Amino acid sequence: VHAALGDARAVLNVGAGTGSYEPPDREVTAVEPSATMRDRRSPALPPAIDAYAEQLPFPDRVFDAAMGTFTLHQWADLASGLAEVRRVTRGPVVFLTCDPALLRTYWLYEYAPEVIETEASRYPSPSTLVAGLGGVTTVTPVPIPLDCTDGFNDAYYGRPEMLLEPAVRLACSAWSFVEPTAVARFEAHLAGDLANGVWDAKHGHLRNQEYLVGSLVLVVSMPGPFGNRPVRPGIVRFVSVLSRRPRSTPSMPITLPSTGKWLMKILAREGRYVFGA
Amino acid sequence: VIGYLGQIDRLFGVPATTRSWNTISAIAKVLDDGATSPRG
């Protein structure tokens, strides 16, 4: 997350919660709608602003970068929230989240399918995020370390006994959405398989596996060549490919004609690519 | 408008080829779908 933020100074943390993953070396503005979570933030962190991603109380392009960790699945209106985050951010938008399709590849699916299905139904797909964020967006798997201190389900891939602890499961909200009977069935099934060696026969190698590449992904979106400008009817965007390195590098934007109603704007250049409308 | 596209060659001092961004986006989407479809 921190590497993806680049050299950004002013960073927005959306759905900041208690401030986990929040970089201490940046000027962070935290947004968190839950009073309970805001109250649980460390005194060492800046206090969080009471606001929702869907309606951010900030001007356009005021932050160098934005981040969010395990928050997208809680948003009421994902498209509006992504558009808002993009609106207030000049540079990269970085989300640590889960790929719902990959959640079902985790061994926990054998024991608590209701929990995994609940999680899978709440997390947006990578393609939804790519479409919602626009620009140039990449989705990269994040290896989960064996001693991961965050309490999401995949973090216990090599420590299955931990998931038998109700207090541990409390850290992952999906468990609270399933029936108590499903949880009881899970406990009996996993406890039994741990006692009789079935779990270790199938998954025991995970106890010493340093990392798991599972459902955890990092979504990094850079603004496209057209920035945050919305698509408007009657406006055709274009890209020109220069045949070689430009001989001159005029400052941009360039409006043509230079006076009166514009017919063409040259907005930006990236290497041999020139973008305009 | 087409006439103004010629200004790009003059402004940057080298010949340029111009395409609609919609065309580029459509090609990128096809390539992206082709790259991800085997994963289902």
Side-chain angles (χ1 to χ4, degrees):
Chain A
V1 171
H2 295 187
L5 291 173
D7 58 2
R9 290 300 311 158
V11 174
L12 171 68
N13 188 10
V14 193
T18 58
S20 307
Y21 300 89
E22 213 163 88
D25 58 341
R26 321 285 178 114
E27 295 160 14
V28 175
T29 298
V31 162
E32 171 53 55
S34 161
T36 307
M37 298 298 261
R38 289 199 303 273
D39 290 344
R40 286 173 55 193
R41 287 174 66 83
S42 160
L45 295 172
I49 294 167
D50 180 9
Y52 288 88
E54 294 88 340
Q55 205 167 3
L56 293 170
F58 308 112
D60 294 357
R61 296 166 54 81
V62 73
F63 296 104
D64 296 324
M67 60 177 282
T69 55
F70 298 109
T71 180
L72 296 167
H73 60 296
Q74 315 231 33
W75 295 8
D77 183 344
L78 182 70
S80 296
L82 294 175
E84 272 291 88
V85 174
R86 183 73 275 168
R87 177 184 66 78
V88 302
T89 310
R90 288 189 294 272
V93 173
V94 182
F95 288 113
L96 188 65
T97 185
C98 286
D99 180 337
L102 297 178
L103 279 165
R104 298 185 185 90
T105 64
Y106 184 37
W107 61 256
L108 186 59
Y109 192 55
E110 301 166 38
Y111 295 90
E114 299 91 343
V115 172
I116 300 295
E117 289 296 348
T118 300
E119 281 200 306
S121 67
R122 295 173 75 210
Y123 278 103
S125 69
S127 59
T128 302
L129 297 176
V130 169
L133 286 164
V136 180
T137 303
T138 58
V139 181
T140 312
V142 177
I144 301 161
L146 184 58
D147 60 351
C148 182
T149 54
D150 201 350
F152 54 95
N153 283 327
D154 294 36
Y156 301 107
Y157 71 87
R159 297 169 289 167
E161 292 81 1
M162 294 290 285
L163 284 169
L164 293 174
E165 299 286 338
V168 166
R169 295 197 300 265
L170 269 179
C172 186
S173 59
W175 289 92
S176 64
F177 288 98
V178 300
E179 294 293 327
T181 51
V183 177
R185 195 174 63 247
F186 154 77
E187 286 180 325
H189 188 183
L190 181 59
D193 276 5
L194 287 169
N196 63 24
V198 168
W199 188 92
D200 279 272
K202 288 177 74 174
H203 309 292
H205 63 283
L206 294 173
R207 291 189 184 277
N208 299 308
Q209 187 172 304
E210 204 172 349
Y211 292 95
L212 176 76
V213 178
S215 62
L216 194 63
V217 292
L218 190 68
V219 179
V220 181
S221 177
M222 299 299 292
F226 299 102
N228 300 335
R229 298 172 185 87
V231 178
R232 284 160 46 197
I235 303 287
V236 177
R237 293 171 165 180
F238 65 82
V239 57
S240 296
V241 184
L242 305 177
S243 58
R244 51 187 180 272
R245 284 182 58 185
R247 285 200 186 128
S248 54
T249 53
S251 62
M252 281 172 275
I254 299 168
T255 303
L256 297 169
S258 55
T259 57
K261 189 179 180 184
W262 70 272
L263 292 173
M264 188 171 89
K265 282 185 182 177
I266 301 174
L267 301 167
R269 180 179 68 86
E270 185 75 41
R272 285 170 50 206
Y273 300 95
V274 177
F275 301 93
Chain B
V1 175
I2 296 293
Y4 281 111
L5 289 174
Q7 296 283 322
I8 293 171
D9 303 44
R10 187 183 64 76
L11 285 164
F12 294 93
V14 295
T17 304
T18 299
R19 292 287 180 271
S20 160
W21 184 250
N22 286 350
T23 305
I24 304 299
S25 298
I27 292 169
K29 185 171 187 325
V30 168
L31 292 174
D32 188 47
D33 289 349
T36 56
S37 59
R39 289 174 58 199

